Amino acid sequence: MKKIVCVLMILAALLAAFPAGAQESDVFLLSGTILEVLDDCVMLDVPELGDVQAFIGEETTIEGVDALRIGQTAFVLYDGKMTRSLPPQITAQRISVYAVEGTVTEVAEDRVTILRGDELGEVVLTLPENAPELEIGQNVIAYTTGIMTMSLPPIMNAVAFEFEAVEDVGDVEDAGLIEDIEDVEDVEDVEDVEDVVTGQDNG
């Protein structure tokens, strides 16, 4: 049932994107993770096809973000023409990236609640079958189909997640030495501290 709802919502978005009278054969869609961004194209990892190169022309529109970057999940509309080269190539009519960024506040079996910043409030995200394990308090970027219900809180279908990178704490060995020093009691002077760090005994 969840798959059917997701497909219907995507189709509704596609129909809304084209003027009345447009032929169904003019609408082709693929989605994938951006692997590389160049001036005139992006390389996508498309689950069903592998790597696909999408060219960006003067008539290509970018929707949902100010700039494309590696790691984003993008929806690409094109005219159906795909080369048989490796990787296959298409010309993008529109590249859409719909991202919801925030902190996980509630986790259920098939959905999570995200608290967005800038006073946007909460949004409920239905999860895809391959969704990663999410925990309350995690900061995430969720990529969606771009369609939102009018309910409170609004509901969207998530298609992929990206997690904030953890900053380097420093060398693991150094971190271990710091912990060792903190566990030492009654360190009388700097010389004793150096002995603990180096593991040497100055006598």
Side-chain angles (χ1 to χ4, degrees), residues 1-184:
M1 182 64 182
K2 184 169 62 177
K3 280 186 176 180
I4 295 175
V5 172
C6 181
V7 171
L8 290 175
M9 293 179 75
I10 293 175
L11 289 176
L14 291 176
L15 291 175
F18 286 85
Q23 298 179 4
E24 292 182 7
S25 58
D26 293 335
V27 180
F28 292 84
L29 175 72
L30 59 77
S31 65
T33 304
I34 297 178
L35 301 176
E36 187 177 7
V37 180
L38 301 175
D39 291 336
D40 63 345
C41 68
V42 293
M43 187 71 74
L44 298 167
D45 178 14
V46 180
E48 304 85 2
L49 302 172
D51 291 355
V52 174
Q53 189 172 17
F55 283 96
I56 301 172
E58 293 182 358
E59 297 182 357
T60 305
T61 58
I62 309 298
E63 184 177 85
V65 290
D66 295 330
L68 301 174
R69 65 168 175 78
I70 294 172
Q72 291 173 331
T73 296
F75 291 87
V76 180
L77 287 177
Y78 67 108
D79 61 5
K81 298 176 182 178
M82 180 181 292
T83 68
R84 296 184 179 181
S85 59
L86 290 176
Q89 299 171 347
I90 61 174
T91 299
Q93 297 175 353
R94 189 181 75 188
I95 301 177
S96 304
V97 177
Y98 307 113
V100 175
E101 186 171 358
T103 304
V104 178
T105 58
E106 186 176 346
V107 178
E109 182 178 354
D110 62 346
R111 61 186 57 199
V112 295
T113 302
I114 303 292
L115 178 61
R116 299 168 293 175
D118 299 329
E119 299 182 354
L120 292 175
E122 291 185 327
V123 60
V124 176
L125 302 174
T126 61
L127 299 175
E129 291 183 356
N130 61 342
E133 289 190 13
L134 299 171
E135 299 178 356
I136 294 176
Q138 277 183 313
N139 294 323
V140 300
I141 300 175
Y143 295 99
T144 76
T145 59
I147 302 171
M148 178 183 294
T149 67
M150 299 296 291
S151 59
L152 289 175
I155 302 173
M156 306 182 76
N157 286 330
V159 296
F161 288 87
E162 186 178 0
F163 299 93
E164 287 188 358
V166 178
E167 296 182 0
D168 293 335
V169 184
D171 189 81
V172 176
E173 275 188 27
D174 293 341
L177 291 174
I178 293 173
E179 289 180 1
D180 289 342
I181 293 173
E182 290 177 348
D183 290 338
V184 174

